[in-house]
Amino acid sequence: MPPRTWISDADNQSAIWVCGRAPVQRYSSGQSHFYTWAQIAGIFIFSIYAPPRLSHEEFTGLLSNIVDEARGKTPILVAGDFNAWSTEWGSRETKPRGEALLDALAPPGCPPAEHRFETDGEVIAGGVNRSTGGTTASRSCLRLRRRAQRARGRADETICREEFADARRRLHRAIKASKRLCWRQLCDEADCDVWGKPYRVVMSRLRAPRTSPPSAPELVRRAVSTLFPMIVPRPIDAPPLLEEHLIPEVGVEELRWAYGRVRIGAAPGPDGIPNIAALKAAVEACFENFRRVFTVCLRKGCFPTRWKRQRLVLMLKPGKPAMEPSSYRPLCMLDTAGKILERIIAGRLETHTEGPAGLADSQYGFRKGRSTVDAIQAVLSTARTAISGKRWHRGTKEYCAIITLDVRNAFNSARWNKILIALSQMEVPAYLLRIVSSYFLDRVLEFTTDDGSETYEVTAGVPQGSVLGPILWNVMYDRILRLKLPRSAKIVGFADDIAVTVVAKHLDLVEFYSNETIRLVRAALTDLGLQTADQKTEVLLVTSRKVRETITLRAGDHYITSAPCIRYLGVHIDARLRFDEHLRIVSDKANRGSRCPAGYYAKHRRSKEQST
């Protein structure tokens, strides 16, 4: 046969194009369906296309025909599109077609070296990639299954089928036993590590579906103007520039710590350079150059303008209307190189903000060794102490009001001059004040609509997604947490979330102290240029009385009556501190998002408690 020959099957679904000088020694008659073959330069090449429309029986029949055709031909190369899923070649899961393909192309015993099979672009030496092979039971079952399939029409077909059926029953029992064991281990691990694998498994089921960011020009522009208010910035007096030798250079370990903290998988900034390239390839290859650049930035008090660009990503809040600008959470994507410099500045600021003259102990957000759990415990401990003991003559039992206040568009409304004033009051070195001043100036927001790319001047706020933003917010917000409140009131902060506890023996005193506390907090927030969403204020009256009692407080022009349950930092707190409502809500949410039958976890727990 001459070269440059087209060899196809009967339906023209698969073909072999011979375009080189290699001789074609033998080839298919062209009567087969969905596959063809040819012997070229001593190698038997099979070309296969199994369309998705084939039923499972038709697909397995096709594989049987291919196996029969390939028997006795060696060496052999099989290439084709099987439309079969299997984790063996990178699919998310293994489907029946994938299992049938593995069974058909896996020779019994140890395959010879010349056997090579190519499926969906991946060459698998030895017929099947067994680097991640299964258990001995599953391998034995697959071997007996192949034996039963190849025994069709032979005298030992019945015996082979019975052996396979028995092996399959044993495998099913082993799988069920393994599932029970793994489930018990998962439950035990949840008792030991609440943030471990069980938590990650549950949260992976509860994630909301991803939504595309808005692109309608009018909506995006309204969202930008709403979320990033245009504030006439007050002149910022930068501290005088010190002599360079008084400003410590960026150390080797300091830079390694700074770029080691940046997440590899985080989204890139406006420059589009992935973090893996910016970190591993650039910083490690030009380490001294980066160190010198960052040192010059600190000593000149200049944050490069290019690193002040913010690429906006709008994320729709769950359950919010898509056409409302306030329904979106703005995330600002920044260049990785600038975030490394931010990390260096933040590390130096922390030596002062976490010192004796630093942040108040009642701030639990964005700080090392503190979390939402600590903030919640601080609130609950006050409430539990208040309702403990006796109520009557000389009793210690009191009422406790828990008030949560919401700050409207908090992070994007922070005034830059207020942040610099707070930094100077914490005795932060002048060179850090100077570069923070440079960090604020000339910031530009970049966003995209259906009309194309646009820019917007940023005049206030700390970027959500930045490294410096959280620590600068805490510095400015520290004034709220240090307010002189009535003696029976305490304030707890987590980022911009405020919770106030007011303890008193009589309800009229609880209302009086609570209203005074709310007034003082709102006034201090207004002085910082922030506004409270008074309609979102929540009040909970914690008491041990059987008869439900309520109080009504005033927040601005709104009157708020205490509710039987409020939500604080993701936890639903009820008036009896029993958390029945919280368990009901999270259980319903977990049952809706989980594939496991409702109540299975509780059933397992009850059986475990009875056994112990």
Side-chain angles (χ1 to χ4, degrees):
M1 175 179 288
R4 296 186 177 274
T5 300
W6 181 271
I7 306 170
S8 65
D9 68 332
D11 305 302
N12 289 325
Q13 296 291 310
S14 60
I16 299 174
W17 173 241
V18 185
C19 55
R21 296 183 178 275
V24 179
Q25 299 159 319
R26 297 168 58 188
Y27 59 94
S28 173
S29 62
Q31 301 300 316
S32 57
H33 297 276
F34 305 117
Y35 77 93
T36 187
W37 63 271
Q39 184 183 19
I40 304 173
I43 300 177
F44 288 90
I45 300 175
F46 277 70
S47 176
I48 305 165
Y49 174 68
R53 69 175 183 271
L54 294 180
S55 65
H56 185 68
E57 291 74 16
E58 292 172 333
F59 181 76
T60 55
L62 172 61
L63 295 180
S64 298
N65 294 336
I66 295 172
V67 171
D68 293 338
E69 188 74 56
R71 187 174 289 112
K73 295 180 175 65
T74 184
I76 184 173
L77 174 66
V78 178
D81 184 359
F82 292 90
N83 285 297
W85 283 33
S86 175
T87 56
E88 296 284 355
W89 46 78
S91 303
R92 294 192 301 271
E93 57 180 317
T94 299
K95 294 187 176 180
R97 273 199 175 197
E99 295 179 354
L101 182 60
L102 286 172
D103 294 339
L105 297 185
C110 182
E114 63 268 17
H115 279 278
R116 293 175 62 83
F117 302 96
E118 185 170 340
T119 61
D120 292 337
E122 179 181 354
V123 177
I124 305 176
V128 179
N129 181 358
R130 293 297 184 185
S131 60
T132 60
T135 61
T136 303
S138 61
R139 286 198 297 267
S140 174
C141 187
L142 287 174
R143 186 174 64 253
L144 293 173
R145 178 183 176 182
R146 290 193 296 267
R147 181 180 173 185
Q149 288 176 338
R150 295 171 184 175
R152 293 173 182 170
R154 298 205 304 251
D156 58 344
E157 179 180 0
T158 304
I159 298 176
C160 292
R161 286 186 175 276
E162 290 177 354
E163 291 178 348
F164 167 62
D166 183 61
R168 184 170 55 183
R169 285 191 293 269
R170 292 197 304 270
L171 177 61
H172 287 173
R173 288 195 294 268
I175 291 174
K176 289 182 179 179
S178 178
K179 286 183 176 180
R180 287 194 295 269
L181 177 62
C182 292
W183 175 254
R184 294 193 188 100
Q185 292 175 347
L186 198 67
C187 295
D188 293 338
E189 187 175 346
D191 295 335
C192 301
D193 184 7
V194 294
W195 307 116
K197 183 178 179 181
Y199 172 79
R200 294 193 298 270
V201 170
V202 171
M203 292 307 297
S204 65
R205 300 289 181 87
L206 299 181
R207 289 194 184 104
R210 293 185 178 181
T211 58
S212 301
S215 59
E218 183 181 353
L219 174 60
V220 176
R221 292 177 190 134
R222 284 195 298 121
V224 169
S225 60
T226 301
L227 297 173
F228 297 88
M230 186 65 68
I231 298 172
V232 179
R234 296 186 178 182
I236 298 176
D237 297 328
L241 185 64
L242 301 178
E243 296 183 12
E244 292 188 0
H245 70 276
L246 298 178
I247 300 175
E249 67 175 1
V250 176
V252 174
E253 293 302 322
E254 185 179 20
L255 178 55
R256 292 192 185 279
W257 169 81
Y259 86 77
R261 292 289 302 276
V262 180
R263 293 187 295 113
I264 297 296
D271 60 9
I273 302 176
N275 288 348
I276 185 66
L279 294 176
K280 297 298 182 181
V283 179
E284 293 184 0
C286 307
F287 189 86
E288 287 301 320
N289 292 339
F290 274 89
R291 195 163 71 92
R292 284 194 295 269
V293 168
F294 293 149
T295 299
V296 170
C297 290
L298 290 174
R299 289 179 171 175
K300 298 295 183 182
C302 175
F303 198 95
T305 303
R306 185 177 181 85
W307 295 343
K308 298 179 187 179
R309 298 180 305 163
Q310 307 171 189
R311 179 171 62 86
L312 177 64
V313 177
L314 294 175
M315 305 293 294
L316 181 63
K317 299 177 182 178
K320 298 293 184 178
M323 298 306 296
E324 290 293 330
S326 59
S327 299
Y328 291 91
R329 178 176 292 107
L331 300 181
C332 298
M333 304 295 107
L334 303 168
D335 290 343
T336 302
K339 293 172 77 171
I340 297 174
L341 178 56
E342 287 188 52
R343 180 69 63 186
I344 294 172
I345 299 171
R348 297 190 178 194
L349 285 176
E350 282 182 357
T351 60
H352 302 276
T353 60
E354 297 299 330
L359 299 174
D361 289 337
S362 54
Q363 175 59 271
Y364 291 88
F366 308 133
R367 301 181 72 181
K368 295 179 181 177
R370 296 174 178 232
S371 66
T372 55
V373 176
D374 300 311
I376 295 169
Q377 289 290 357
V379 172
L380 294 180
S381 63
T382 301
R384 289 193 178 105
T385 302
I387 63 174
S388 62
K390 298 184 300 181
R391 175 172 297 278
W392 306 117
H393 182 63
R394 296 182 180 180
T396 59
K397 191 184 291 288
E398 298 176 294
Y399 293 100
C400 178
I402 301 177
I403 309 161
T404 60
L405 302 174
D406 184 86
V407 181
R408 183 183 289 113
N409 195 25
F411 296 106
N412 295 322
S413 302
R415 302 302 199 266
W416 293 339
N417 62 318
K418 300 292 184 179
I419 295 176
L420 291 172
I421 292 173
L423 284 172
S424 62
Q425 291 174 348
M426 290 186 181
E427 301 179 356
V428 171
Y431 81 93
L432 290 178
L433 291 177
R434 189 176 184 87
I435 196 168
V436 170
S437 301
S438 175
Y439 174 80
F440 286 142
L441 297 178
D442 302 322
R443 300 201 70 87
V444 175
L445 187 71
E446 299 179 353
F447 59 93
T448 303
T449 69
D450 293 335
D451 291 343
S453 300
E454 300 183 28
T455 59
Y456 182 87
E457 181 184 2
V458 179
T459 58
V462 291
Q464 297 186 50
S466 64
V467 176
L468 266 177
I471 190 171
L472 296 179
W473 169 265
N474 277 353
V475 168
M476 183 201 70
Y477 214 54
D478 191 66
R479 176 180 172 182
I480 305 298
L481 303 179
R482 293 184 181 275
L483 285 173
K484 292 184 178 180
L485 302 176
R487 61 178 181 83
S488 61
K490 294 181 180 179
I491 188 169
V492 174
F494 187 91
D496 63 320
D497 289 311
I498 298 175
V500 176
T501 57
V502 178
V503 176
K505 196 172 184 63
H506 304 286
L507 286 181
D508 55 346
L509 290 178
V510 172
E511 290 188 350
F512 175 77
Y513 290 137
S514 297
N515 284 324
E516 179 66 12
T517 300
I518 294 174
R519 186 189 66 81
L520 292 173
V521 172
R522 291 183 74 256
L525 289 171
T526 302
D527 188 61
L528 288 178
L530 302 175
Q531 295 181 347
T532 55
D534 294 328
Q535 71 279 8
K536 295 183 179 180
T537 301
E538 291 187 301
V539 182
L540 174 72
L541 182 64
V542 181
T543 175
S544 59
R545 285 181 177 270
K546 294 182 179 180
V547 179
R548 179 187 171 188
E549 298 172 289
T550 61
I551 57 175
T552 300
L553 307 180
R554 180 177 179 178
D557 296 332
H558 291 76
Y559 289 89
I560 314 296
T561 302
S562 59
C565 181
I566 65 172
R567 187 173 184 264
Y568 176 60
L569 299 180
V571 176
H572 299 268
I573 307 175
D574 58 86
R576 300 288 189 270
L577 302 183
R578 295 174 180 172
F579 300 100
D580 295 338
E581 185 69 10
H582 178 78
L583 291 175
R584 185 190 64 79
I585 293 174
V586 297
S587 297
D588 292 343
K589 185 177 179 181
N591 288 333
R592 288 194 303 268
S594 174
R595 297 179 184 176
C596 299
Y600 184 78
Y601 181 84
K603 179 180 179 181
H604 166 75
R605 278 293 173 210
R606 288 195 297 268
S607 62
K608 181 179 178 181
E609 293 172 357
Q610 292 173 359
S611 62
T612 56

